[in-house]
Amino acid sequence: MVAVAVALQINRFEALPSTNTLALDLARADAPAWTTVVADRQTAGRGRLRRVWHSPPGCGLYCSVILRPSLLLEHLPRLTLAAGVAICRALEAMGVPAPRIKWPNDILLAGRKVGGILTETAPLTGAGSTPPPVVIGIGLNLSTPLAAFPPAFRNRATSIAAATGLALDPESLLEKILAHLQAEVALLEDAGFDAILEEWRRRDGMRGQVLTWLNTIGEKVEGIGLGVDAAGLYHIRDRHGTVHEVLSGDLDLAWPGQKD
Ligand code: BTN
């Protein structure tokens, strides 16, 4: 059992444009670490790479947590991997079998996306080289109907209820996620990144899978997922044996039902 170690302030809303946007504003206004924002629905939920995060009411968990980690600026992306581990651990603790992570920020169940993480920083004017506060935004589809997703996304998305038959209570899940996030961030700060990588690799949903990646010059690279390296970057091996280090952008699984 992981206990919440640090006092939390949880701000609950019926509706918000985006919990991340409010959490970033609160962080800039000096809100303490672990201040959390949660909404039943979002009208302008944001995903990675400027995507929309569909956030209908009564069927998802949409929350954002302010962190003030003792990490170097260049190591802040490690928090996304730590958050992925924390979410998987929380889901496992609630009886969800085999949650997996698709690098860097997707949570998968049975190969389909059930959640995502959006890590953003709130740079403070005049703060020099001090690492800025970080907001970890988490969206999880608890019982979201497939019809709520855009048609192009329906064959790659799912909800926890659809994938497992479990009706999770959002409050209990939030409590578990926060407890595990505190534990994983403490591990990252105290024991270092290797400890997180070890747990992350156990939940890697891409290792051994056929993946495609749009590389930095816009070429489509297809290969087999090899896993994350010591810096947290993903590697894939193409059919010529060349190993590519995925620096940015999106890695795609060959999703069920995908035609191209
Ligand atoms: C992704 O998969 O691209 C990341 C999705 C993150 C969505 C969550 S929902 C709560 C928080 N508020 C937002 O606007 N986005 C994140």
Coordinates of all heavy atoms in Angstrom, one line a residue, residues 163-244:
A163 N -12.6 -2.2 -21.9 CA -11.5 -3.2 -22.0 C -11.6 -4.3 -20.9 O -11.1 -5.4 -21.1 CB -10.2 -2.5 -22.0
T164 N -12.1 -3.9 -19.7 CA -12.0 -4.8 -18.6 C -13.4 -5.2 -17.9 O -13.4 -6.1 -17.1 CB -11.1 -4.2 -17.5 OG1 -11.9 -3.0 -16.9 CG2 -9.8 -3.7 -18.0
G165 N -14.4 -4.4 -18.2 CA -15.7 -4.6 -17.5 C -15.7 -3.9 -16.1 O -16.7 -4.0 -15.4
L166 N -14.6 -3.2 -15.8 CA -14.6 -2.6 -14.4 C -15.1 -1.2 -14.5 O -14.8 -0.4 -15.4 CB -13.1 -2.5 -13.9 CG -12.4 -3.8 -13.6 CD1 -10.9 -3.6 -13.4 CD2 -13.0 -4.5 -12.4
A167 N -16.0 -0.9 -13.5 CA -16.5 0.5 -13.3 C -15.7 1.2 -12.2 O -16.1 1.1 -11.0 CB -18.0 0.5 -13.0
L168 N -14.6 1.8 -12.5 CA -13.8 2.4 -11.5 C -14.3 3.8 -11.0 O -14.8 4.6 -11.8 CB -12.4 2.7 -12.0 CG -11.5 1.5 -12.5 CD1 -10.1 1.9 -12.7 CD2 -11.6 0.3 -11.5
D169 N -14.2 3.9 -9.7 CA -14.6 5.2 -9.1 C -13.5 6.2 -9.3 O -12.4 6.0 -8.9 CB -14.9 5.0 -7.6 CG -15.0 6.3 -6.8 OD1 -15.8 7.1 -7.3 OD2 -14.4 6.4 -5.7
P170 N -13.9 7.4 -10.0 CA -12.8 8.3 -10.3 C -12.1 8.9 -9.1 O -10.9 9.1 -9.2 CB -13.6 9.5 -11.1 CG -15.0 9.1 -11.0 CD -15.2 7.8 -10.5
E171 N -12.8 9.1 -8.0 CA -12.1 9.6 -6.8 C -11.1 8.7 -6.2 O -10.0 9.1 -5.9 CB -13.2 9.9 -5.7 CG -13.9 11.2 -5.8 CD -12.9 12.4 -5.8 OE1 -12.1 12.5 -4.8 OE2 -13.0 13.3 -6.6
S172 N -11.4 7.4 -6.2 CA -10.5 6.4 -5.7 C -9.3 6.3 -6.6 O -8.2 6.1 -6.2 CB -11.1 5.0 -5.5 OG -12.4 5.1 -4.9
L173 N -9.6 6.3 -7.9 CA -8.5 6.2 -8.9 C -7.6 7.4 -8.7 O -6.3 7.3 -8.7 CB -9.0 6.1 -10.3 CG -8.0 6.0 -11.4 CD1 -7.1 4.8 -11.2 CD2 -8.7 5.9 -12.8
L174 N -8.1 8.6 -8.6 CA -7.3 9.8 -8.4 C -6.4 9.7 -7.2 O -5.2 10.0 -7.2 CB -8.2 11.1 -8.3 CG -7.5 12.4 -8.0 CD1 -6.5 12.7 -9.2 CD2 -8.5 13.5 -7.8
E175 N -7.0 9.3 -6.1 CA -6.2 9.1 -4.8 C -5.1 8.1 -5.1 O -3.9 8.4 -4.6 CB -7.2 8.5 -3.8 CG -6.7 8.6 -2.4 CD -7.8 7.9 -1.5 OE1 -8.9 8.4 -1.4 OE2 -7.4 6.9 -0.9
K176 N -5.3 7.0 -5.8 CA -4.3 6.1 -6.0 C -3.2 6.6 -6.9 O -2.0 6.4 -6.7 CB -4.8 4.8 -6.7 CG -5.6 3.9 -5.7 CD -4.9 2.6 -5.5 CE -5.4 1.7 -4.5 NZ -6.4 2.2 -3.5
I177 N -3.6 7.3 -7.9 CA -2.6 7.9 -8.9 C -1.7 8.9 -8.2 O -0.5 8.9 -8.3 CB -3.4 8.6 -10.1 CG1 -4.0 7.5 -11.0 CG2 -2.4 9.5 -10.9 CD1 -4.8 8.1 -12.1
L178 N -2.3 9.8 -7.3 CA -1.5 10.8 -6.6 C -0.5 10.1 -5.7 O 0.6 10.5 -5.6 CB -2.4 11.7 -5.9 CG -3.3 12.7 -6.8 CD1 -4.3 13.4 -5.9 CD2 -2.4 13.6 -7.6
A179 N -1.0 9.0 -5.0 CA -0.1 8.3 -4.1 C 1.1 7.7 -4.8 O 2.3 7.8 -4.4 CB -0.8 7.3 -3.3
H180 N 0.8 7.1 -6.0 CA 1.8 6.5 -6.8 C 2.7 7.5 -7.4 O 3.9 7.3 -7.6 CB 1.3 5.5 -7.8 CG 0.9 4.2 -7.1 ND1 1.8 3.2 -6.8 CD2 -0.3 3.7 -6.7 CE1 1.1 2.2 -6.2 NE2 -0.1 2.5 -6.2
L181 N 2.1 8.6 -7.8 CA 2.9 9.7 -8.5 C 3.9 10.2 -7.4 O 5.1 10.5 -7.8 CB 2.0 10.8 -9.0 CG 2.7 11.8 -9.9 CD1 3.3 11.2 -11.1 CD2 1.6 12.8 -10.4
Q182 N 3.5 10.4 -6.2 CA 4.4 10.9 -5.2 C 5.5 9.9 -5.0 O 6.7 10.3 -4.9 CB 3.6 11.1 -3.9 CG 2.7 12.3 -3.9 CD 2.2 12.8 -2.6 OE1 2.3 12.0 -1.6 NE2 1.8 14.0 -2.5
A183 N 5.2 8.6 -5.0 CA 6.2 7.6 -4.8 C 7.2 7.6 -5.9 O 8.4 7.5 -5.7 CB 5.6 6.2 -4.6
E184 N 6.7 7.7 -7.2 CA 7.6 7.6 -8.3 C 8.5 8.8 -8.5 O 9.7 8.7 -8.8 CB 6.8 7.3 -9.6 CG 6.0 6.0 -9.7 CD 6.9 4.8 -9.4 OE1 8.0 4.7 -9.9 OE2 6.4 3.8 -8.8
V185 N 7.9 10.0 -8.1 CA 8.7 11.2 -8.2 C 9.8 11.2 -7.1 O 10.9 11.6 -7.4 CB 7.8 12.5 -8.1 CG1 8.6 13.8 -8.0 CG2 6.9 12.6 -9.3
A186 N 9.5 10.7 -6.0 CA 10.5 10.6 -4.9 C 11.6 9.6 -5.3 O 12.8 9.9 -5.1 CB 9.8 10.2 -3.6
L187 N 11.2 8.5 -6.0 CA 12.2 7.6 -6.4 C 13.1 8.2 -7.5 O 14.3 8.0 -7.4 CB 11.4 6.4 -7.1 CG 12.2 5.1 -7.4 CD1 12.7 4.4 -6.1 CD2 11.3 4.1 -8.2
L188 N 12.5 9.0 -8.4 CA 13.3 9.6 -9.4 C 14.3 10.6 -8.8 O 15.4 10.7 -9.2 CB 12.3 10.4 -10.4 CG 12.9 11.1 -11.6 CD1 13.7 10.2 -12.5 CD2 11.8 11.8 -12.4
E189 N 13.8 11.4 -7.8 CA 14.7 12.4 -7.2 C 15.8 11.7 -6.3 O 16.9 12.2 -6.3 CB 13.8 13.3 -6.3 CG 12.9 14.2 -7.1 CD 12.0 15.1 -6.2 OE1 11.6 14.6 -5.1 OE2 11.6 16.2 -6.7
D190 N 15.4 10.7 -5.6 CA 16.3 10.1 -4.6 C 17.2 9.0 -5.2 O 18.4 8.9 -4.9 CB 15.5 9.5 -3.4 CG 14.7 10.6 -2.8 OD1 15.0 11.8 -3.0 OD2 13.8 10.3 -2.0
A191 N 16.6 8.1 -6.0 CA 17.3 6.9 -6.5 C 17.8 7.1 -7.9 O 18.7 6.4 -8.4 CB 16.4 5.6 -6.4
G192 N 17.2 8.0 -8.6 CA 17.6 8.3 -10.0 C 16.8 7.7 -11.1 O 15.9 6.9 -10.8
F193 N 17.1 7.9 -12.3 CA 16.3 7.6 -13.5 C 16.3 6.0 -13.7 O 15.3 5.5 -14.2 CB 16.7 8.3 -14.7 CG 15.8 8.3 -15.9 CD1 14.4 8.3 -15.7 CD2 16.3 8.3 -17.2 CE1 13.6 8.3 -16.8 CE2 15.4 8.3 -18.3 CZ 14.1 8.3 -18.1
D194 N 17.4 5.4 -13.4 CA 17.4 3.9 -13.6 C 16.3 3.2 -13.0 O 15.8 2.2 -13.5 CB 18.8 3.4 -13.1 CG 19.9 3.7 -14.1 OD1 19.6 4.3 -15.2 OD2 21.1 3.5 -13.8
A195 N 16.0 3.6 -11.7 CA 14.9 3.0 -11.0 C 13.6 3.1 -11.7 O 12.8 2.1 -11.7 CB 14.8 3.6 -9.6
I196 N 13.3 4.2 -12.3 CA 12.1 4.4 -13.1 C 12.1 3.6 -14.3 O 11.1 3.0 -14.7 CB 11.9 5.9 -13.4 CG1 11.8 6.8 -12.2 CG2 10.7 6.1 -14.3 CD1 10.7 6.5 -11.3
L197 N 13.3 3.6 -15.0 CA 13.4 2.9 -16.3 C 13.1 1.4 -16.1 O 12.5 0.8 -17.0 CB 14.8 3.1 -16.9 CG 15.0 4.5 -17.6 CD1 16.5 4.6 -18.0 CD2 14.1 4.7 -18.8
E198 N 13.6 0.9 -15.0 CA 13.4 -0.5 -14.7 C 11.9 -0.9 -14.7 O 11.4 -1.8 -15.3 CB 14.0 -0.9 -13.4 CG 14.3 -2.3 -13.2 CD 15.0 -2.6 -11.9 OE1 15.9 -1.9 -11.5 OE2 14.5 -3.5 -11.2
E199 N 11.1 0.0 -14.0 CA 9.7 -0.2 -13.8 C 9.0 0.0 -15.2 O 8.0 -0.6 -15.5 CB 9.1 0.7 -12.8 CG 9.6 0.5 -11.4 CD 8.9 1.3 -10.4 OE1 7.6 1.1 -10.3 OE2 9.5 2.2 -9.8
W200 N 9.5 1.1 -15.9 CA 8.9 1.4 -17.2 C 9.0 0.3 -18.2 O 8.1 -0.1 -18.9 CB 9.5 2.7 -17.7 CG 8.8 3.4 -18.8 CD1 7.9 4.4 -18.6 CD2 8.7 3.1 -20.2 NE1 7.3 4.8 -19.8 CE2 7.9 4.0 -20.8 CE3 9.4 2.2 -21.0 CZ2 7.6 4.0 -22.2 CZ3 9.1 2.1 -22.3 CH2 8.2 3.0 -22.9
R201 N 10.2 -0.3 -18.2 CA 10.4 -1.4 -19.2 C 9.5 -2.6 -19.0 O 9.1 -3.2 -19.9 CB 11.9 -1.8 -19.1 CG 12.8 -0.7 -19.7 CD 14.3 -1.2 -19.8 NE 15.1 -0.2 -20.4 CZ 16.1 0.4 -19.8 NH1 16.5 0.1 -18.5 NH2 16.8 1.3 -20.4
R202 N 9.2 -2.8 -17.7 CA 8.2 -3.9 -17.4 C 6.9 -3.7 -18.0 O 6.0 -4.6 -18.2 CB 8.1 -4.1 -15.9 CG 9.2 -5.0 -15.4 CD 8.9 -5.5 -14.0 NE 10.0 -5.2 -13.2 CZ 10.1 -4.4 -12.1 NH1 9.0 -3.9 -11.6 NH2 11.2 -4.3 -11.5
R203 N 6.6 -2.4 -18.3 CA 5.2 -2.1 -18.8 C 5.3 -1.5 -20.2 O 4.3 -0.8 -20.6 CB 4.6 -1.1 -17.8 CG 4.4 -1.6 -16.4 CD 4.0 -0.6 -15.4 NE 3.8 -1.2 -14.1 CZ 4.7 -1.4 -13.2 NH1 6.0 -1.1 -13.4 NH2 4.4 -2.0 -12.1
D204 N 6.4 -1.8 -20.9 CA 6.6 -1.3 -22.3 C 5.6 -2.0 -23.2 O 5.7 -3.2 -23.4 CB 8.0 -1.5 -22.7 CG 8.4 -1.0 -24.0 OD1 7.5 -0.6 -24.8 OD2 9.6 -1.0 -24.4
G205 N 4.6 -1.2 -23.8 CA 3.7 -1.9 -24.7 C 4.1 -1.9 -26.1 O 3.3 -2.3 -27.0
M206 N 5.4 -1.5 -26.4 CA 5.8 -1.4 -27.8 C 6.9 -2.3 -28.1 O 7.2 -2.6 -29.3 CB 6.3 0.0 -28.0 CG 5.3 1.0 -27.6 SD 6.0 2.6 -27.6 CE 6.0 2.9 -29.4
R207 N 7.6 -2.9 -27.1 CA 8.7 -3.7 -27.3 C 8.3 -5.0 -28.2 O 7.4 -5.6 -27.8 CB 9.3 -4.2 -26.0 CG 10.7 -4.8 -26.1 CD 11.2 -5.2 -24.7 NE 12.3 -6.1 -24.8 CZ 13.5 -5.6 -24.9 NH1 13.8 -4.4 -24.9 NH2 14.5 -6.5 -25.1
G208 N 9.0 -5.2 -29.3 CA 8.7 -6.4 -30.1 C 7.6 -6.1 -31.1 O 7.3 -7.0 -31.9
Q209 N 6.9 -4.9 -31.0 CA 5.8 -4.7 -31.9 C 6.3 -3.9 -33.1 O 7.4 -3.3 -33.1 CB 4.8 -3.7 -31.2 CG 4.3 -4.2 -29.9 CD 3.1 -5.1 -30.0 OE1 2.5 -5.1 -31.0 NE2 2.9 -5.9 -29.0
V210 N 5.5 -4.1 -34.2 CA 5.8 -3.3 -35.4 C 5.4 -1.9 -35.2 O 4.2 -1.6 -34.9 CB 5.1 -3.9 -36.7 CG1 5.5 -3.1 -37.9 CG2 5.6 -5.4 -36.8
L211 N 6.3 -0.9 -35.4 CA 6.0 0.5 -35.2 C 6.3 1.3 -36.4 O 7.2 1.0 -37.2 CB 6.9 1.0 -34.0 CG 6.8 0.2 -32.7 CD1 7.9 0.6 -31.7 CD2 5.4 0.4 -32.0
T212 N 5.7 2.5 -36.5 CA 6.1 3.4 -37.5 C 6.4 4.7 -36.8 O 5.8 5.1 -35.8 CB 5.0 3.7 -38.6 OG1 3.8 4.0 -37.9 CG2 4.8 2.4 -39.4
W213 N 7.3 5.5 -37.4 CA 7.7 6.7 -36.8 C 8.0 7.7 -38.0 O 8.7 7.4 -38.9 CB 9.0 6.6 -36.0 CG 9.6 7.8 -35.5 CD1 9.0 8.9 -34.9 CD2 11.0 8.2 -35.6 NE1 9.9 9.9 -34.6 CE2 11.1 9.5 -35.0 CE3 12.2 7.6 -36.2 CZ2 12.4 10.2 -34.9 CZ3 13.4 8.3 -36.1 CH2 13.5 9.6 -35.5
L214 N 7.4 8.9 -37.8 CA 7.7 10.0 -38.8 C 8.9 10.7 -38.3 O 8.9 11.4 -37.3 CB 6.5 10.9 -38.8 CG 6.1 11.5 -40.2 CD1 6.1 10.5 -41.3 CD2 4.8 12.3 -40.1
N215 N 10.1 10.4 -39.0 CA 11.3 11.0 -38.4 C 11.4 12.5 -38.6 O 10.5 13.1 -39.1 CB 12.5 10.2 -39.0 CG 12.8 10.5 -40.4 OD1 12.3 11.5 -40.9 ND2 13.7 9.7 -41.0
T216 N 12.6 13.0 -38.1 CA 12.7 14.5 -38.0 C 12.7 15.1 -39.4 O 12.5 16.3 -39.5 CB 14.0 14.8 -37.2 OG1 15.0 14.0 -37.7 CG2 13.8 14.7 -35.8
I217 N 13.0 14.3 -40.5 CA 12.9 15.0 -41.8 C 11.6 14.5 -42.6 O 11.5 14.6 -43.8 CB 14.2 14.7 -42.7 CG1 14.5 13.2 -42.7 CG2 15.3 15.5 -42.1 CD1 15.6 12.9 -43.7
G218 N 10.7 14.0 -41.8 CA 9.4 13.7 -42.4 C 9.3 12.4 -43.1 O 8.3 12.1 -43.8
E219 N 10.3 11.5 -43.0 CA 10.2 10.2 -43.6 C 9.6 9.2 -42.6 O 9.8 9.2 -41.4 CB 11.6 9.6 -43.9 CG 12.3 10.4 -45.0 CD 13.8 10.1 -45.0 OE1 14.3 9.4 -44.0 OE2 14.5 10.5 -45.9
K220 N 8.8 8.2 -43.2 CA 8.1 7.2 -42.4 C 9.1 6.1 -42.2 O 9.6 5.4 -43.2 CB 6.9 6.7 -43.1 CG 5.9 5.9 -42.2 CD 4.6 5.8 -43.0 CE 3.7 4.8 -42.3 NZ 2.4 4.6 -43.0
V221 N 9.4 5.8 -41.0 CA 10.4 4.7 -40.6 C 9.5 3.6 -40.0 O 8.8 3.8 -39.1 CB 11.4 5.2 -39.6 CG1 12.4 4.0 -39.2 CG2 12.2 6.3 -40.2
E222 N 9.7 2.3 -40.5 CA 9.0 1.2 -39.9 C 10.0 0.3 -39.3 O 11.1 0.1 -39.9 CB 8.2 0.5 -41.0 CG 7.2 -0.6 -40.4 CD 6.3 -1.2 -41.4 OE1 5.3 -0.6 -41.8 OE2 6.7 -2.4 -41.7
G223 N 9.7 -0.2 -38.1 CA 10.6 -1.1 -37.4 C 10.0 -1.8 -36.2 O 8.8 -1.6 -35.9
I224 N 10.9 -2.5 -35.6 CA 10.4 -3.3 -34.4 C 10.9 -2.5 -33.2 O 12.0 -2.0 -33.1 CB 11.1 -4.7 -34.4 CG1 10.8 -5.5 -35.6 CG2 10.8 -5.4 -33.1 CD1 9.3 -6.0 -35.6
G225 N 10.0 -2.4 -32.2 CA 10.3 -1.7 -31.0 C 11.4 -2.4 -30.1 O 11.2 -3.6 -29.9
L226 N 12.4 -1.7 -29.8 CA 13.5 -2.3 -29.0 C 13.5 -1.9 -27.5 O 14.0 -2.6 -26.7 CB 14.9 -1.9 -29.6 CG 15.2 -2.3 -31.0 CD1 16.5 -1.8 -31.5 CD2 15.1 -3.8 -31.2
G227 N 12.8 -0.8 -27.2 CA 12.8 -0.3 -25.8 C 13.4 1.0 -25.6 O 14.0 1.6 -26.6
V228 N 13.4 1.5 -24.4 CA 14.0 2.8 -24.1 C 15.5 2.6 -23.7 O 15.8 1.7 -23.0 CB 13.3 3.5 -22.9 CG1 12.1 4.3 -23.4 CG2 13.0 2.6 -21.8
D229 N 16.2 3.7 -24.0 CA 17.7 3.6 -23.6 C 17.8 4.3 -22.3 O 16.8 4.8 -21.7 CB 18.5 4.3 -24.7 CG 18.3 5.8 -24.9 OD1 17.6 6.4 -24.1 OD2 18.7 6.3 -26.0
A230 N 19.1 4.5 -21.8 CA 19.3 5.0 -20.5 C 18.9 6.5 -20.4 O 18.7 7.0 -19.3 CB 20.8 4.9 -20.2
A231 N 18.7 7.2 -21.5 CA 18.3 8.6 -21.5 C 16.8 8.7 -21.6 O 16.2 9.8 -21.6 CB 18.9 9.3 -22.6
G232 N 16.1 7.5 -21.8 CA 14.6 7.6 -21.9 C 14.1 7.7 -23.3 O 12.9 7.9 -23.5
L233 N 15.0 7.6 -24.3 CA 14.6 7.7 -25.7 C 14.3 6.3 -26.2 O 14.9 5.3 -25.9 CB 15.7 8.4 -26.6 CG 16.0 9.8 -26.2 CD1 17.1 10.3 -27.1 CD2 14.8 10.7 -26.3
Y234 N 13.3 6.2 -27.1 CA 12.9 4.9 -27.7 C 13.7 4.5 -28.9 O 14.1 5.4 -29.7 CB 11.4 4.9 -28.0 CG 10.8 3.6 -27.8 CD1 10.4 3.2 -26.5 CD2 10.8 2.6 -28.8 CE1 9.9 1.9 -26.3 CE2 10.3 1.3 -28.6 CZ 9.9 1.0 -27.3 OH 9.4 -0.3 -27.1
H235 N 14.0 3.3 -29.0 CA 14.8 2.8 -30.2 C 13.9 1.8 -31.0 O 13.2 1.0 -30.4 CB 16.0 2.0 -29.7 CG 17.1 2.9 -29.2 ND1 18.4 2.6 -29.2 CD2 17.0 4.2 -28.6 CE1 19.1 3.6 -28.7 NE2 18.3 4.6 -28.3
I236 N 14.0 1.9 -32.3 CA 13.4 0.9 -33.2 C 14.4 0.4 -34.2 O 15.3 1.2 -34.6 CB 12.1 1.5 -33.9 CG1 12.4 2.7 -34.8 CG2 11.0 1.8 -32.9 CD1 11.2 3.2 -35.5
R237 N 14.3 -0.8 -34.6 CA 15.2 -1.4 -35.6 C 14.4 -1.6 -36.9 O 13.4 -2.3 -36.9 CB 15.8 -2.7 -35.2 CG 16.8 -3.2 -36.2 CD 17.4 -4.6 -36.0 NE 18.1 -4.7 -34.7 CZ 17.7 -5.5 -33.7 NH1 16.6 -6.2 -33.7 NH2 18.5 -5.5 -32.6
D238 N 14.9 -1.0 -38.0 CA 14.1 -1.2 -39.3 C 14.6 -2.5 -40.0 O 15.5 -3.2 -39.5 CB 14.3 0.0 -40.2 CG 15.7 0.2 -40.8 OD1 16.5 -0.8 -40.8 OD2 16.1 1.3 -41.2
R239 N 14.0 -2.8 -41.1 CA 14.2 -4.1 -41.8 C 15.6 -4.3 -42.3 O 16.1 -5.3 -42.7 CB 13.2 -4.5 -42.8 CG 13.1 -3.6 -44.0 CD 11.8 -3.7 -44.8 NE 11.6 -2.6 -45.6 CZ 12.0 -2.5 -46.9 NH1 12.7 -3.6 -47.4 NH2 11.8 -1.5 -47.6
H240 N 16.4 -3.1 -42.4 CA 17.8 -3.2 -42.9 C 18.7 -3.4 -41.7 O 19.9 -3.5 -41.9 CB 18.2 -1.9 -43.6 CG 17.2 -1.6 -44.7 ND1 17.1 -2.4 -45.8 CD2 16.3 -0.6 -44.9 CE1 16.2 -1.9 -46.6 NE2 15.7 -0.8 -46.1
G241 N 18.2 -3.4 -40.5 CA 19.0 -3.6 -39.3 C 19.5 -2.3 -38.7 O 20.2 -2.3 -37.6
T242 N 19.1 -1.2 -39.3 CA 19.5 0.1 -38.7 C 18.6 0.5 -37.5 O 17.4 0.3 -37.5 CB 19.3 1.3 -39.8 OG1 20.0 0.9 -41.0 CG2 19.8 2.6 -39.3
V243 N 19.3 0.9 -36.5 CA 18.6 1.3 -35.2 C 18.4 2.8 -35.2 O 19.3 3.6 -35.4 CB 19.4 0.8 -34.0 CG1 18.7 1.3 -32.7 CG2 19.5 -0.7 -33.9
H244 N 17.1 3.2 -35.0 CA 16.8 4.6 -35.0 C 16.4 5.0 -33.6 O 15.7 4.3 -32.9 CB 15.5 4.9 -35.9 CG 15.7 4.5 -37.3 ND1 16.0 5.4 -38.3 CD2 15.7 3.2 -37.9 CE1 16.1 4.7 -39.5 NE2 15.9 3.4 -39.2

